[in-house]
Coordinates of all heavy atoms in Angstrom, one line a residue:
M1 N 7.2 -6.7 10.2 CA 6.7 -5.6 9.4 C 7.7 -4.5 9.4 O 8.2 -4.1 10.5 CB 5.4 -5.2 9.9 CG 4.8 -4.1 9.1 SD 3.1 -3.5 9.6 CE 2.3 -4.9 10.1
E2 N 8.1 -4.0 8.3 CA 9.0 -2.8 8.2 C 8.4 -1.6 8.8 O 7.2 -1.3 8.6 CB 9.4 -2.6 6.8 CG 10.3 -1.4 6.5 CD 10.5 -1.1 5.1 OE1 10.1 -1.9 4.2 OE2 11.0 0.0 4.8
I3 N 9.1 -0.8 9.6 CA 8.6 0.5 10.1 C 9.0 1.5 9.1 O 10.2 1.6 8.7 CB 9.3 0.8 11.4 CG1 9.0 -0.3 12.5 CG2 8.8 2.1 11.9 CD1 7.5 -0.5 12.8
L4 N 8.1 2.3 8.6 CA 8.3 3.4 7.7 C 8.8 4.6 8.4 O 8.2 5.0 9.4 CB 7.1 3.7 6.8 CG 6.6 2.6 5.9 CD1 5.3 3.0 5.2 CD2 7.7 2.3 4.8
D5 N 9.7 5.3 7.8 CA 10.2 6.6 8.2 C 9.2 7.6 7.7 O 9.2 8.0 6.5 CB 11.6 6.9 7.8 CG 12.1 8.2 8.2 OD1 11.4 9.0 8.9 OD2 13.2 8.5 7.8
Q6 N 8.3 8.1 8.5 CA 7.3 9.0 8.1 C 7.9 10.4 7.6 O 7.2 11.1 6.9 CB 6.2 9.3 9.2 CG 5.4 8.0 9.5 CD 4.6 7.5 8.3 OE1 4.1 8.2 7.5 NE2 4.6 6.2 8.2
D7 N 9.1 10.7 8.0 CA 9.7 11.9 7.6 C 10.5 11.8 6.3 O 11.0 12.8 5.8 CB 10.6 12.4 8.8 CG 9.8 12.8 10.0 OD1 8.7 13.3 9.9 OD2 10.3 12.6 11.1
A8 N 10.7 10.6 5.9 CA 11.4 10.4 4.6 C 10.6 11.0 3.5 O 9.4 11.0 3.4 CB 11.6 8.9 4.4
A9 N 11.3 11.5 2.5 CA 10.7 12.2 1.4 C 10.9 11.3 0.1 O 11.9 10.6 0.0 CB 11.3 13.5 1.2
C10 N 10.0 11.4 -0.8 CA 10.1 10.7 -2.0 C 11.4 11.2 -2.8 O 11.6 12.4 -2.8 CB 8.9 10.9 -2.9 SG 8.9 10.2 -4.5
P11 N 12.2 10.3 -3.3 CA 13.4 10.8 -4.0 C 13.1 11.6 -5.3 O 14.0 12.4 -5.7 CB 14.1 9.5 -4.4 CG 13.1 8.4 -4.2 CD 12.0 8.9 -3.3
S12 N 11.9 11.5 -5.8 CA 11.6 12.3 -7.0 C 10.2 12.8 -6.8 O 9.2 12.3 -7.4 CB 11.7 11.5 -8.3 OG 10.8 10.4 -8.3
P13 N 10.0 13.9 -6.0 CA 8.7 14.4 -5.7 C 7.8 14.8 -6.9 O 6.6 14.8 -6.8 CB 8.9 15.5 -4.7 CG 10.4 15.8 -4.8 CD 11.1 14.6 -5.4
S14 N 8.5 15.2 -7.9 CA 7.7 15.6 -9.1 C 6.9 14.4 -9.7 O 6.0 14.6 -10.4 CB 8.6 16.2 -10.2 OG 9.5 15.3 -10.6
N15 N 7.4 13.2 -9.5 CA 6.8 12.0 -10.0 C 5.8 11.3 -9.0 O 4.9 10.5 -9.5 CB 7.8 11.0 -10.5 CG 8.7 11.5 -11.6 OD1 8.2 12.2 -12.4 ND2 9.9 11.1 -11.7
C16 N 6.0 11.5 -7.7 CA 5.2 10.8 -6.7 C 3.9 11.6 -6.5 O 3.8 12.8 -6.7 CB 5.9 10.7 -5.4 SG 7.2 9.4 -5.4
P17 N 2.9 10.9 -6.0 CA 1.6 11.6 -5.6 C 2.0 12.6 -4.5 O 3.0 12.5 -3.8 CB 0.8 10.5 -5.0 CG 1.3 9.2 -5.5 CD 2.8 9.5 -5.7
S18 N 1.1 13.6 -4.3 CA 1.4 14.7 -3.3 C 1.5 14.1 -1.9 O 2.3 14.6 -1.1 CB 0.3 15.7 -3.4 OG -1.0 15.2 -3.1
D19 N 0.8 13.0 -1.6 CA 0.9 12.3 -0.3 C 1.1 10.8 -0.6 O 0.1 10.1 -0.7 CB -0.3 12.6 0.6 CG -0.1 12.0 2.0 OD1 0.7 11.1 2.2 OD2 -0.8 12.5 2.9
P20 N 2.3 10.4 -0.9 CA 2.5 9.0 -1.2 C 1.9 8.0 -0.2 O 1.4 6.9 -0.6 CB 4.0 8.8 -1.4 CG 4.5 10.2 -1.6 CD 3.6 11.1 -0.8
D21 N 2.0 8.2 1.0 CA 1.6 7.3 2.0 C 0.0 7.2 2.0 O -0.5 6.1 2.0 CB 2.0 7.7 3.4 CG 2.0 6.6 4.4 OD1 2.5 5.5 4.1 OD2 1.4 6.7 5.5
E22 N -0.6 8.3 1.9 CA -2.1 8.3 1.8 C -2.6 7.6 0.5 O -3.5 6.8 0.6 CB -2.6 9.7 1.9 CG -4.2 9.8 1.9 CD -4.7 11.2 2.1 OE1 -4.2 11.9 3.0 OE2 -5.5 11.6 1.3
T23 N -1.9 7.9 -0.5 CA -2.3 7.3 -1.8 C -2.0 5.8 -1.8 O -2.9 5.0 -2.2 CB -1.5 7.9 -3.0 OG1 -1.7 9.3 -3.0 CG2 -1.9 7.3 -4.3
A24 N -0.9 5.3 -1.2 CA -0.6 3.9 -1.1 C -1.7 3.2 -0.2 O -2.2 2.1 -0.6 CB 0.8 3.7 -0.5
E25 N -2.0 3.8 0.9 CA -3.1 3.3 1.7 C -4.4 3.2 1.0 O -5.1 2.2 1.0 CB -3.3 4.1 3.0 CG -4.4 3.6 3.9 CD -4.6 4.5 5.1 OE1 -3.9 5.5 5.3 OE2 -5.5 4.2 5.9
G26 N -4.8 4.3 0.3 CA -6.0 4.3 -0.5 C -6.0 3.2 -1.6 O -7.0 2.5 -1.9
Y27 N -4.8 3.0 -2.2 CA -4.7 1.9 -3.2 C -4.9 0.5 -2.6 O -5.7 -0.3 -3.1 CB -3.3 2.0 -3.8 CG -3.1 1.0 -4.9 CD1 -3.6 1.1 -6.2 CD2 -2.3 -0.2 -4.6 CE1 -3.4 0.1 -7.1 CE2 -2.1 -1.1 -5.5 CZ -2.6 -1.0 -6.8 OH -2.4 -2.0 -7.7
V28 N -4.3 0.3 -1.5 CA -4.4 -1.0 -0.8 C -5.9 -1.3 -0.4 O -6.4 -2.4 -0.5 CB -3.4 -1.2 0.3 CG1 -3.7 -2.4 1.2 CG2 -2.0 -1.2 -0.2
M29 N -6.5 -0.2 0.2 CA -7.8 -0.3 0.7 C -8.9 -0.2 -0.4 O -10.1 -0.3 -0.2 CB -8.1 0.7 1.8 CG -7.2 0.6 3.0 SD -7.3 -0.9 3.8 CE -9.0 -0.8 4.5
R30 N -8.4 0.0 -1.7 CA -9.3 0.1 -2.8 C -10.2 1.3 -2.7 O -11.4 1.2 -3.0 CB -10.0 -1.2 -3.1 CG -9.1 -2.3 -3.4 CD -9.7 -3.6 -3.7 NE -8.7 -4.5 -4.0 CZ -8.9 -5.7 -4.4 NH1 -10.1 -6.2 -4.5 NH2 -7.9 -6.6 -4.6
N31 N -9.7 2.4 -2.2 CA -10.5 3.6 -2.0 C -10.2 4.7 -3.0 O -10.7 5.8 -2.9 CB -10.3 4.2 -0.6 CG -10.9 3.3 0.5 OD1 -11.9 2.6 0.3 ND2 -10.3 3.4 1.7
L32 N -9.3 4.4 -4.0 CA -9.0 5.4 -5.0 C -10.0 5.3 -6.1 O -10.5 4.2 -6.4 CB -7.6 5.2 -5.5 CG -6.4 5.2 -4.6 CD1 -5.1 5.0 -5.3 CD2 -6.4 6.6 -3.9
A33 N -10.2 6.4 -6.8 CA -11.0 6.4 -8.0 C -10.3 5.5 -9.0 O -9.1 5.4 -9.0 CB -11.2 7.8 -8.5
P34 N -11.0 4.9 -9.9 CA -10.4 4.0 -10.9 C -9.2 4.6 -11.7 O -8.2 4.0 -11.8 CB -11.5 3.6 -11.8 CG -12.7 3.7 -11.0 CD -12.5 4.8 -10.1
Q35 N -9.4 5.8 -12.1 CA -8.4 6.5 -12.9 C -7.1 6.8 -12.0 O -6.0 6.7 -12.4 CB -8.9 7.8 -13.5 CG -8.0 8.4 -14.5 CD -8.8 9.6 -15.2 OE1 -9.5 10.4 -14.5 NE2 -8.5 9.8 -16.5
E36 N -7.4 7.2 -10.7 CA -6.3 7.5 -9.8 C -5.5 6.2 -9.5 O -4.3 6.1 -9.4 CB -6.8 8.1 -8.5 CG -5.7 8.6 -7.6 CD -6.3 9.2 -6.3 OE1 -7.5 9.2 -6.1 OE2 -5.5 9.7 -5.6
A37 N -6.3 5.1 -9.3 CA -5.6 3.8 -9.0 C -4.8 3.3 -10.2 O -3.7 2.8 -10.0 CB -6.7 2.7 -8.7
E38 N -5.3 3.5 -11.4 CA -4.5 3.1 -12.6 C -3.3 4.0 -12.8 O -2.2 3.4 -13.0 CB -5.4 3.3 -13.9 CG -4.6 3.1 -15.2 CD -5.1 1.9 -15.9 OE1 -6.0 1.3 -15.5 OE2 -4.4 1.6 -16.9
S39 N -3.4 5.2 -12.5 CA -2.2 6.1 -12.6 C -1.2 5.7 -11.5 O 0.0 5.7 -11.8 CB -2.6 7.6 -12.4 OG -1.6 8.4 -12.3
F40 N -1.6 5.4 -10.3 CA -0.7 5.0 -9.2 C -0.1 3.7 -9.6 O 1.1 3.5 -9.3 CB -1.4 5.0 -7.9 CG -0.6 4.7 -6.7 CD1 0.4 5.6 -6.4 CD2 -0.7 3.6 -6.0 CE1 1.3 5.4 -5.3 CE2 0.1 3.4 -4.9 CZ 1.1 4.3 -4.6
L41 N -0.8 2.8 -10.1 CA -0.2 1.5 -10.5 C 0.9 1.7 -11.5 O 1.9 1.0 -11.4 CB -1.3 0.6 -11.1 CG -0.9 -0.8 -11.5 CD1 -0.3 -1.6 -10.4 CD2 -2.1 -1.6 -12.1
L42 N 0.7 2.5 -12.5 CA 1.8 2.8 -13.5 C 3.0 3.4 -12.8 O 4.1 3.1 -13.1 CB 1.2 3.7 -14.6 CG 0.2 3.1 -15.5 CD1 -0.4 4.1 -16.4 CD2 0.8 1.9 -16.3
H43 N 2.7 4.3 -11.9 CA 3.8 4.9 -11.1 C 4.6 3.9 -10.3 O 5.8 4.0 -10.2 CB 3.2 6.1 -10.2 CG 4.2 6.6 -9.2 ND1 5.2 7.4 -9.6 CD2 4.3 6.4 -7.9 CE1 5.9 7.7 -8.5 NE2 5.4 7.1 -7.5
L44 N 3.9 3.0 -9.7 CA 4.5 2.0 -8.8 C 5.5 1.2 -9.5 O 6.5 0.8 -8.9 CB 3.4 1.0 -8.3 CG 2.7 1.4 -7.0 CD1 1.6 0.3 -6.7 CD2 3.6 1.6 -5.9
D45 N 5.4 1.0 -10.8 CA 6.3 0.1 -11.6 C 7.7 0.6 -11.5 O 8.6 -0.2 -11.5 CB 5.8 0.1 -13.0 CG 6.6 -1.0 -13.8 OD1 6.9 -2.0 -13.3 OD2 6.9 -0.7 -15.0
G46 N 7.9 2.0 -11.3 CA 9.2 2.5 -11.3 C 9.6 3.2 -10.0 O 10.6 3.9 -10.0
C47 N 8.8 3.1 -9.0 CA 9.1 3.9 -7.8 C 9.2 3.0 -6.6 O 8.2 2.6 -6.0 CB 8.0 5.0 -7.5 SG 8.4 6.0 -6.1
E48 N 10.4 2.7 -6.2 CA 10.7 1.8 -5.0 C 10.1 2.4 -3.7 O 9.6 1.7 -2.9 CB 12.2 1.5 -4.9 CG 12.5 0.5 -3.8 CD 14.0 0.2 -3.7 OE1 14.6 0.2 -4.8 OE2 14.4 0.0 -2.6
Y49 N 10.2 3.7 -3.6 CA 9.7 4.4 -2.5 C 8.2 4.1 -2.3 O 7.8 3.7 -1.2 CB 9.9 5.9 -2.7 CG 9.4 6.8 -1.6 CD1 10.1 7.0 -0.4 CD2 8.2 7.5 -1.7 CE1 9.7 7.8 0.6 CE2 7.7 8.3 -0.7 CZ 8.5 8.5 0.5 OH 8.0 9.3 1.5
C50 N 7.4 4.3 -3.3 CA 6.0 4.0 -3.2 C 5.7 2.5 -3.1 O 4.7 2.1 -2.4 CB 5.2 4.6 -4.3 SG 5.1 6.4 -4.2
Q51 N 6.5 1.7 -3.7 CA 6.4 0.2 -3.6 C 6.5 -0.2 -2.1 O 5.7 -1.0 -1.6 CB 7.4 -0.5 -4.4 CG 7.2 -0.4 -5.9 CD 8.4 -1.0 -6.6 OE1 9.3 -1.6 -6.1 NE2 8.4 -0.8 -7.9
R52 N 7.5 0.4 -1.4 CA 7.6 0.1 0.1 C 6.4 0.5 0.8 O 6.0 -0.1 1.8 CB 8.9 0.8 0.6 CG 10.2 0.1 0.1 CD 11.4 0.5 0.9 NE 11.5 2.0 1.1 CZ 12.2 2.8 0.3 NH1 12.7 2.3 -0.8 NH2 12.2 4.1 0.5
R53 N 5.8 1.6 0.5 CA 4.6 2.1 1.2 C 3.4 1.2 0.9 O 2.7 0.9 1.8 CB 4.3 3.5 0.8 CG 5.3 4.4 1.5 CD 5.2 5.9 1.3 NE 5.7 6.7 2.4 CZ 6.8 6.5 3.1 NH1 7.6 5.5 2.8 NH2 7.1 7.4 4.0
V54 N 3.3 0.7 -0.3 CA 2.2 -0.2 -0.6 C 2.4 -1.5 0.2 O 1.5 -2.1 0.8 CB 2.1 -0.5 -2.1 CG1 1.2 -1.7 -2.4 CG2 1.5 0.7 -2.8
A55 N 3.7 -2.0 0.2 CA 4.0 -3.3 0.9 C 3.7 -3.1 2.4 O 3.1 -4.0 3.0 CB 5.4 -3.7 0.7
F56 N 4.0 -2.0 3.0 CA 3.7 -1.7 4.4 C 2.2 -1.8 4.7 O 1.8 -2.5 5.6 CB 4.3 -0.4 4.8 CG 3.8 0.0 6.2 CD1 4.5 -0.4 7.3 CD2 2.7 0.9 6.3 CE1 4.0 -0.1 8.6 CE2 2.3 1.2 7.6 CZ 2.9 0.7 8.7
H57 N 1.4 -1.1 3.8 CA 0.0 -1.1 4.1 C -0.6 -2.5 3.8 O -1.6 -2.9 4.6 CB -0.7 0.0 3.2 CG -0.4 1.3 3.7 ND1 -0.9 1.8 4.9 CD2 0.4 2.3 3.2 CE1 -0.4 3.1 5.1 NE2 0.3 3.4 4.1
V58 N -0.1 -3.3 2.9 CA -0.6 -4.6 2.7 C -0.4 -5.4 4.0 O -1.2 -6.1 4.5 CB 0.0 -5.3 1.5 CG1 -0.2 -6.8 1.4 CG2 -0.5 -4.7 0.2
E59 N 0.9 -5.4 4.5 CA 1.2 -6.1 5.7 C 0.4 -5.6 6.9 O 0.0 -6.5 7.7 CB 2.7 -5.9 6.0 CG 3.6 -6.6 5.1 CD 5.1 -6.4 5.4 OE1 5.4 -6.4 6.6 OE2 5.9 -6.3 4.5
Y60 N 0.2 -4.3 7.0 CA -0.5 -3.8 8.1 C -2.0 -4.3 8.1 O -2.5 -4.8 9.1 CB -0.5 -2.3 8.1 CG -1.3 -1.6 9.2 CD1 -0.8 -1.6 10.5 CD2 -2.6 -1.2 9.0 CE1 -1.5 -1.0 11.5 CE2 -3.3 -0.6 10.0 CZ -2.8 -0.5 11.3 OH -3.5 0.0 12.3
V61 N -2.6 -4.2 6.9 CA -4.0 -4.6 6.8 C -4.2 -6.1 7.1 O -5.1 -6.5 7.8 CB -4.6 -4.2 5.4 CG1 -6.0 -4.9 5.2 CG2 -4.7 -2.7 5.3
Q62 N -3.2 -6.9 6.6 CA -3.3 -8.3 6.8 C -3.1 -8.6 8.3 O -3.7 -9.5 8.9 CB -2.2 -9.1 6.0 CG -2.4 -10.6 6.1 CD -3.8 -11.0 5.6 OE1 -4.1 -10.7 4.4 NE2 -4.5 -11.7 6.4
A63 N -2.2 -7.9 9.0 CA -2.0 -8.1 10.4 C -3.2 -7.8 11.2 O -3.6 -8.5 12.2 CB -0.8 -7.2 10.9
V64 N -3.9 -6.7 10.8 CA -5.2 -6.4 11.5 C -6.2 -7.5 11.3 O -6.9 -7.9 12.2 CB -5.7 -5.0 11.1 CG1 -7.1 -4.7 11.5 CG2 -4.8 -3.9 11.5
R65 N -6.3 -8.0 10.0 CA -7.2 -9.0 9.7 C -6.9 -10.3 10.5 O -7.8 -11.0 11.0 CB -7.3 -9.3 8.2 CG -7.9 -8.2 7.4 CD -7.8 -8.5 5.9 NE -8.8 -7.7 5.2 CZ -10.0 -8.2 4.8 NH1 -10.3 -9.5 5.0 NH2 -10.9 -7.5 4.2
D66 N -5.6 -10.6 10.6 CA -5.2 -11.8 11.3 C -5.6 -11.7 12.8 O -6.0 -12.7 13.4 CB -3.7 -12.0 11.2 CG -3.3 -12.5 9.8 OD1 -4.1 -12.8 9.0 OD2 -2.0 -12.4 9.5
A67 N -5.4 -10.5 13.3 CA -5.7 -10.3 14.7 C -7.2 -10.4 14.9 O -7.7 -11.1 15.9 CB -5.2 -8.9 15.2
A68 N -8.0 -9.9 14.0 CA -9.5 -10.0 14.1 C -9.9 -11.4 14.0 O -10.8 -11.9 14.7 CB -10.1 -9.1 13.0
A69 N -9.2 -12.2 13.1 CA -9.6 -13.6 12.9 C -9.3 -14.4 14.1 O -10.0 -15.3 14.5 CB -8.8 -14.2 11.7
S70 N -8.2 -14.1 14.8 CA -7.8 -14.9 16.0 C -8.8 -14.6 17.1 O -9.0 -15.5 18.0 CB -6.4 -14.6 16.4 OG -6.3 -13.3 17.0
H71 N -9.4 -13.4 17.1 CA -10.4 -13.1 18.2 C -11.8 -13.5 17.8 O -12.6 -13.7 18.6 CB -10.4 -11.6 18.4 CG -9.2 -11.2 19.2 ND1 -7.9 -11.4 18.8 CD2 -9.1 -10.5 20.4 CE1 -7.1 -10.9 19.7 NE2 -7.8 -10.4 20.7
A72 N -12.0 -13.7 16.5 CA -13.3 -14.1 16.0 C -13.4 -15.6 15.7 O -14.4 -16.0 15.0 CB -13.7 -13.3 14.8
G73 N -12.4 -16.4 16.0 CA -12.5 -17.8 15.7 C -12.1 -18.1 14.3 O -12.6 -19.1 13.7
G74 N -11.4 -17.2 13.6 CA -10.9 -17.6 12.2 C -11.9 -17.2 11.2 O -11.8 -17.7 10.0
G75 N -12.9 -16.4 11.5 CA -14.0 -16.1 10.5 C -13.6 -14.9 9.5 O -14.5 -14.6 8.7
V76 N -12.4 -14.4 9.6 CA -12.1 -13.3 8.7 C -11.3 -13.8 7.5 O -10.3 -14.5 7.7 CB -11.3 -12.2 9.5 CG1 -10.9 -11.0 8.5 CG2 -12.1 -11.7 10.6
L77 N -11.7 -13.4 6.3 CA -10.9 -13.8 5.1 C -9.7 -13.0 4.9 O -9.6 -11.9 5.3 CB -11.8 -13.6 3.9 CG -13.1 -14.4 3.9 CD1 -14.0 -14.1 2.7 CD2 -12.8 -15.9 3.9
P78 N -8.6 -13.6 4.3 CA -7.4 -12.9 4.0 C -7.6 -11.8 3.0 O -8.5 -11.8 2.2 CB -6.5 -14.0 3.4 CG -7.3 -15.2 3.1 CD -8.6 -15.0 3.8
L79 N -6.7 -10.8 3.1 CA -6.8 -9.7 2.2 C -6.5 -10.1 0.7 O -5.6 -10.9 0.5 CB -5.7 -8.7 2.6 CG -5.5 -7.5 1.7 CD1 -6.7 -6.6 1.8 CD2 -4.3 -6.7 2.2
K80 N -7.4 -9.7 -0.2 CA -7.2 -10.0 -1.6 C -6.2 -8.9 -2.1 O -6.5 -7.8 -2.1 CB -8.5 -9.9 -2.4 CG -9.4 -11.0 -2.1 CD -10.6 -10.9 -2.9 CE -11.6 -12.0 -2.6 NZ -12.8 -12.0 -3.4
K81 N -5.0 -9.4 -2.6 CA -4.0 -8.5 -3.0 C -4.2 -8.2 -4.5 O -4.5 -9.0 -5.3 CB -2.6 -9.1 -2.8 CG -2.3 -9.4 -1.3 CD -1.0 -10.1 -1.2 CE -0.8 -10.5 0.3 NZ 0.3 -11.4 0.5
R82 N -3.9 -6.9 -4.8 CA -3.9 -6.5 -6.2 C -2.6 -7.0 -6.8 O -1.6 -7.3 -6.1 CB -3.9 -5.0 -6.3 CG -5.2 -4.4 -5.8 CD -5.1 -2.9 -6.0 NE -6.4 -2.4 -5.6 CZ -7.0 -1.4 -6.2 NH1 -6.4 -0.8 -7.2 NH2 -8.2 -1.0 -5.8
S83 N -2.5 -7.1 -8.1 CA -1.4 -7.7 -8.7 C -0.1 -7.0 -8.4 O 0.9 -7.7 -8.1 CB -1.6 -7.7 -10.3 OG -1.7 -6.4 -10.7
A84 N 0.0 -5.7 -8.3 CA 1.2 -5.0 -8.0 C 1.6 -5.3 -6.5 O 2.7 -5.5 -6.2 CB 1.1 -3.5 -8.2
A85 N 0.6 -5.2 -5.7 CA 0.9 -5.4 -4.2 C 1.3 -6.9 -4.0 O 2.2 -7.1 -3.2 CB -0.4 -5.1 -3.4
A86 N 0.8 -7.8 -4.7 CA 1.2 -9.2 -4.6 C 2.6 -9.4 -5.0 O 3.3 -10.1 -4.3 CB 0.2 -10.1 -5.4
S87 N 3.0 -8.8 -6.0 CA 4.4 -8.9 -6.5 C 5.4 -8.3 -5.5 O 6.5 -8.7 -5.4 CB 4.6 -8.4 -7.9 OG 4.4 -7.0 -7.9
L88 N 4.9 -7.2 -4.8 CA 5.8 -6.5 -3.9 C 6.0 -7.3 -2.6 O 7.0 -7.2 -2.0 CB 5.2 -5.2 -3.5 CG 5.1 -4.2 -4.6 CD1 4.3 -3.0 -4.1 CD2 6.4 -3.8 -5.1
T89 N 5.0 -8.2 -2.2 CA 5.2 -8.9 -1.0 C 5.6 -10.3 -1.2 O 5.8 -11.0 -0.3 CB 3.8 -8.9 -0.2 OG1 2.8 -9.5 -1.0 CG2 3.4 -7.5 0.2
A90 N 5.8 -10.7 -2.4 CA 6.2 -12.1 -2.7 C 7.6 -12.3 -2.5 O 8.4 -11.5 -2.4 CB 5.8 -12.5 -4.2

């Protein structure tokens, strides 16, 4: 899993969300409002910075699920990836 530089800044802050890491996490966890998720998805298409953040959160959530599954006898289902997240981790 790639370690993110939390001090790194978005190369084009006028185009990125105010908190790209929080938005990426919310997107992966499906906690964004539908309109916000749609806007972020469109933004992801051209922003490698935010794509890396989404990929990190997908990997992190899957690692937590895998750890839980190994402790629970394999009863945890894999993370369902959104289309953009799936293409980023493929």
